[in-house]
Amino acid sequence: MARTKQNPEFDIEVDGQAYVWRLHRQPQWSSDVAGWRGMAIAVRHTEGQREAVVEFPPGPQPRFGAPQLKPSQIATELVAKAIASAVAAGWEPLSRGKTVAIVVDEAGG
């Protein structure tokens, strides 16, 4: 039996530009000072190579045994606003270079 892709990618258009995004990290507990860490999405332009990881603040702690977050549960408006915020913060999706990490608020701004 063939394995299904663990992290599917989704197409989205923001300000007339085509991007591809995927769920990079589930909300999780971290042993560092931060404690709980929020979800993160990875975004890249369809014609570019440079990726941005957009990190969201942690929300309420999930109940023990709760199902994991699925990418289809993430609102496209939230992703679009987070991508626009990343571009406004200085991410140049068509340039070359290392992955950029950008932190946004709960609303993606």
Side-chain angles (χ1 to χ4, degrees):
M1 179 185 275
R3 278 181 63 117
T4 58
K5 192 170 185 179
Q6 294 289 331
N7 290 330
E9 292 185 335
F10 301 92
D11 297 322
I12 191 168
E13 188 170 317
V14 178
D15 297 330
Q17 299 290 319
Y19 296 92
V20 177
W21 72 275
R22 64 182 162 77
L23 182 62
H24 181 71
R25 182 184 68 225
Q26 295 276 342
Q28 63 187 2
W29 173 256
S30 175
S31 62
D32 64 2
V33 178
W36 278 100
R37 297 174 71 186
M39 74 166 179
I41 60 171
V43 182
R44 66 177 170 78
H45 195 279
T46 54
E47 297 174 6
Q49 296 176 352
R50 190 171 194 188
E51 201 171 60
V53 174
V54 181
E55 299 180 14
F56 291 85
Q61 296 179 8
R63 295 183 324 266
F64 180 74
Q68 288 193 340
L69 177 69
K70 293 186 171 78
S72 59
Q73 295 172 321
I74 302 171
T76 54
E77 296 82 19
L78 178 68
V79 175
K81 190 170 180 182
I83 293 171
S85 296
V87 171
W91 174 52
E92 296 176 3
L94 296 176
S95 67
R96 294 176 23 174
K98 293 182 180 180
T99 301
V100 177
I102 298 170
V103 179
V104 295
D105 61 10
E106 304 88 22

